[in-house]
Amino acid sequence: MWRHMADSAGVAGRLWDEWVPTQVRRLIVDALPGGAEDARRLAVWLAATHDIGKATPAFACQVEGLAEAMRRCGLDMPLYRQMPDRKLAPHGLAGQLLLQQWLVERHGWPKAATGQFVIIAGGHHGVPPNYPAINELGNHPSLLRTRGSEDIWRGVQDELLDVATAACGVGERLAAWQRVKLPQPVQVLLTALVIVADWIASNPDLFPYFPGERGSDPERLDTAWRELNLPAPWAATEPTQPAEELFAQRFDLPEGARIRPVQREAVRLARELPTPGLLVIEAPMGEGKTEAALAAAEIFAARSGAGGCFVALPTMATGNAMFPRLLDWLERLPDERADTGAHSVALQHSKAALNRDFAELMRAGRRQHDLDRDGTGDAWRHSEDARSASAELVAHHWLRGRKKAMLSSFVVGTIDQLLFAGLKSRHLALRHLAVAGKVVVIDEAHAYDTYMSSYLARVLEWLGAYGVPVVVLSATLPPQRRRALAAAYSGTEEDDAAFAPVEQARDYPLLTTAAPGTEPRLSAPEASGRGTDVAVERLADDLDTLADRLAEDLAEGGCAVVVRNTVNRVHETAAHLRRRFGDERVTVAHARFLDLDRLAKDEALLADFGPPEKVAELGGKRPHTRIVVASQVVEQSLDIDFDLMVSDLAPVDLLLQRMGRLHRHPRGEGQSQRPRPLRTARCLITGVDWETVPPEPVAGSQRIYYRHPLLRSLAVLDPYLAEAEDAPGVPASAEDGRLGNVVGLPGDISPLVRRAYGDEPVGPPQWQEAMATARKEHDDHQANQRSNAGKFLLNPAGRAGRALVGWIDAGMGDADETRGGRAQVRDINDTLEVLVVQRRADGTLATVPWLADNKGGRELPTGAVPPPPLARTVAACGLRLPYQFSFSDVLDRAIEELEAACVEAWQAKESYWLAGELILVLDEDCRASLAGFDLHYTPFNGLEVHHAQ
């Protein structure tokens, strides 16, 4: 134990000196009277003493042979089986009480002053104790010191604490510290630092133990730290060059391209803000918001001391698309500590190991176990660190697994990974340490519902308390959400009058800044001059009508996209259009494909419909005539461009996002390279019964988006959707005075979103009764979402000096992205994911036959674990089953059937890719029956689901 105490203290010192970002250190330093020296001493001392609770009979009785040796030295204790109540004294809680008693009895501390320090020992296993647990252990003192030998136990405990305190140079500081009031964010960060130090010091490969070993060996720590080789944090240097030069150096700008006014203004604000804080960038699609965010992040990091950057995106697909862009940016960054070696990089979502770029960084091969328990069990092989070609970026071996990956310096992940920081869950302190040392970039901020927004607001509140710079990006952010985000980060109530101008602002593009203790500021840069006028029309929700209109508009060729709100409508539409136009002219894109097929679909979309330079780079050629029938996957993440769009009605912000895929890139002077009838961008809106009053969205759309936002969307678009002869001279929402039924991008984005999400009545008088009913249903639904979100929502940071006792009480265990994990921070039902294989005519199992690169049709052994490359291929054939399988009775039945058909050999612990996974076996015709449904999968249509006959 004394050896582990010394190891933990030594590791904590190295972490403080070489790994903890300046941004985190500064927060702790500012809380202590002795500044930096005090902060380091406190961190080291807390690590040294965190396991003092193991010097108790409740812990020591577990191994009888060792316990007997202690008894011979006078440390009496009952046998293990004679201590049924020892569960009341987990060693973290026991250590908390022992430290408290030591401070009170030997150093004269008031008991009330001790909690904020000793809670760190209590919470070092991921869950700070609550008051009932503390009181219960206090009523069982014999678990800490056996009756009859209390003095001997106390002597050992005090000696360990006295020696640790002297070794850490803390003795003379204790008197001053008892007057300190540690802010709760500081308590969280110190707890996380102790956890990391404990996990590293507990690894026997790094810190081996030898019987009879005496004394402290400095080489022991040096050797272990050198073997661990933990990458240092980013040390950003503040760029001083003009914005144009900065962007030219950091990003691949087309030759002769000029940076956009929004990008220039983002750089200016980042440089001029008194302290780095929140920066909200609202600008049209295609304006380079991501590049603006990364440029601002570099400036913020240099000024705040952030040691990395986390980019949060709505989905795994958007995360995968962002990851190579982040790597390109990183390779261009200067670093004032470049001689310190590599930077740690991670892609953080449940399928990160299947991403090509990240797999290359990890040198795809042996999958690491995620063993977070006290840091034991990880393999330490530097050959398994994967470096980029420049040897500057590394997927570090220790920073793997769902609890540690976020501690990497640079992370791209789903928004869930950020929202988990607002979820009461085990080892939450580690997630806070991970984000507290970074700049956080939140993309597509409009894409989150009330449930998710509750978590986002709470996380922003904590990020503001930590002083974490945050950049929020959106093309279509409702004004109320802008105000809520700014108020949350600033730590004030949303109805604070100082934030009214944030909601009232009508400029677009718009940049908003906020920080705790300051009033928000607004800046309205000029638009870039790029714009697209989109003619909008109604289209009856009839497949023959759709086919006739497409035949007419595509008579001279062209590329059209039909966006449906449900996959079932995608399938129905594609089948009908194929009968009319042929299979080769109609393709589909949605989320119900195998992972490898989805990746191939995305690549094909970019090769056919991406920017001209991207199409040329991929060796593709824009099709003469093509119809893509897609779900919402084309709404974001993919830089693709169509001549014509047909879209189901959606909330207006999402509908505008879809319109951003029309004429996204110039194709010849005046779009002259597009077919003549399609040189004007046109969006036909369908998925609505236009004959009712008000028009009625189809049931599938209402299930996804709810009726109220759909009717509000219809109401604000109604002036644009009038028949030509009935069109008003100046549409009510067209504030630039333009005539006709044309939505101007970006000019109409802000007024349309503002009116759709505002409270004023919109739409014709005869709609109002139905809209009022829909509004009531919507308000009830949002209230229910807020209530449900609050069940596991972390509390705001409490007053300084208040201990983190019960910090995550009533929490939900571990936060993760396993099956059902996303439902912890999203208002969705538990979902089921399967790995898909095929059973051939001879009864053998194989990978599905159409996979490229010689991966398809490979026989799979059933009596043994498949070789890692083959197992990885199976793991890359993951498929999330649709909503029909989210209902509890169907879900339970499906799991039961899938588990009954599992391949036993694949569940072996060495089966890193397949153990614990559910396998869906398709027959020769790629069909299967599951839980009363017939499933059919093809690489052309994805998964189709029908009720069994």
Side-chain angles (χ1 to χ4, degrees), residues 229-251:
N229 194 28
L230 204 59
W234 180 29
T237 56
E238 184 164 359
T240 57
Q241 62 268 53
E244 289 79 2
E245 187 177 336
L246 174 63
F247 274 73
Q249 293 173 355
R250 298 292 186 270
F251 309 107

Side-chain angles (χ1 to χ4, degrees), residues 249-518:
Q249 293 173 355
R250 298 292 186 270
F251 309 107
D252 281 323
L253 300 180
E255 188 175 350
R258 298 170 59 87
I259 71 169
R260 310 274 164 71
V262 165
Q263 296 172 327
R264 186 180 296 107
E265 185 65 5
V267 169
R268 186 188 71 81
L269 287 175
R271 286 171 168 165
E272 294 183 3
L273 282 175
T275 58
L278 174 72
L279 172 61
V280 181
I281 302 176
E282 296 173 70
M285 299 71 78
E287 282 289 284
K289 293 187 293 294
T290 299
E291 289 77 9
L294 294 177
E298 182 179 354
I299 297 167
F300 280 160
R303 297 183 58 205
S304 70
C309 182
F310 172 56
V311 183
L313 298 115
T315 63
M316 286 186 282
T318 53
N320 287 337
M322 180 63 200
F323 191 62
R325 297 175 67 183
L326 182 81
L327 296 182
D328 289 343
W329 174 63
L330 290 178
E331 289 174 350
R332 298 165 185 259
L333 283 178
D335 192 329
E336 66 185 25
R337 291 197 303 224
D339 59 335
T340 59
H343 287 313
S344 53
V345 183
L347 178 63
Q348 183 67 347
H349 58 65
S350 61
K351 296 182 182 297
L354 302 176
N355 177 272
R356 291 179 183 175
D357 295 290
F358 191 52
E360 183 178 343
L361 283 177
M362 294 192 302
R363 288 188 184 161
R366 179 173 171 268
R367 186 183 186 188
Q368 298 292 311
H369 276 301
D370 173 23
L371 297 178
D372 289 333
R373 186 182 67 254
D374 284 359
T376 59
D378 287 333
W380 308 96
R381 295 180 177 86
H382 289 285
S383 62
E384 292 176 1
D385 285 349
R387 299 173 183 270
S388 69
S390 64
E392 294 175 353
L393 307 177
V394 57
H396 192 267
H397 55 75
W398 194 78
L399 296 170
R400 296 186 188 176
R402 55 189 170 82
K403 291 183 180 179
K404 296 185 290 188
M406 282 288 290
L407 293 169
S408 301
S409 294
F410 296 96
V411 183
V412 172
T414 57
I415 187 67
D416 307 65
Q417 298 300 326
L418 181 64
L419 300 185
F420 284 150
L423 180 74
K424 290 181 179 179
S425 55
R426 190 176 181 86
H427 288 113
L428 180 60
L430 281 181
R431 290 190 177 273
H432 279 229
L433 176 62
V435 295
K438 296 181 175 67
V439 179
V440 172
V441 177
I442 304 170
D443 200 3
E444 307 286 1
H446 58 274
Y448 311 122
D449 62 15
T450 300
Y451 186 94
M452 297 174 71
S453 295
S454 298
Y455 281 96
L456 181 56
R458 185 54 46 80
V459 171
L460 283 172
E461 197 171 334
W462 276 90
L463 293 179
Y466 286 123
V468 171
V470 177
V471 185
V472 175
L473 307 178
S474 178
T476 54
L477 190 65
Q480 304 94 318
R481 293 292 304 126
R482 181 195 311 136
R483 178 174 182 167
L485 295 174
Y489 183 85
S490 300
T492 64
E493 295 297 326
E494 193 174 330
D495 58 3
D496 189 321
F499 290 85
V502 175
E503 182 177 351
Q504 295 164 359
R506 292 173 175 254
D507 298 292
Y508 189 80
L510 181 67
L511 280 73
T512 307
T513 62
T518 65

Side-chain angles (χ1 to χ4, degrees), residues 721-788:
L721 294 170
E723 298 298 335
E725 60 270 19
D726 300 325
V730 180
S733 56
E735 297 181 355
D736 60 359
R738 192 179 51 259
L739 302 179
N741 61 346
V742 172
V743 172
L745 305 180
D748 285 341
I749 290 177
S750 181
L752 281 170
V753 172
R754 184 173 64 250
R755 295 190 72 222
Y757 285 93
D759 293 324
E760 70 278 8
V762 291
Q766 60 269 33
W767 293 16
Q768 297 309 308
E769 183 179 350
M771 293 185 72
T773 301
R775 176 61 181 262
K776 175 65 167 59
E777 294 169 352
H778 180 72
D779 288 346
D780 291 345
H781 173 68
Q782 286 196 314
N784 187 56
Q785 282 192 313
R786 279 189 287 268
S787 175
N788 289 338

Side-chain angles (χ1 to χ4, degrees), residues 840 842-847 855-862 866-867 870 906:
R840 299 188 293 201
D842 60 2
T844 59
L845 295 185
T847 59
K855 295 178 180 178
R858 301 282 303 279
E859 184 172 338
L860 296 163
T862 55
L870 196 53
W906 295 2

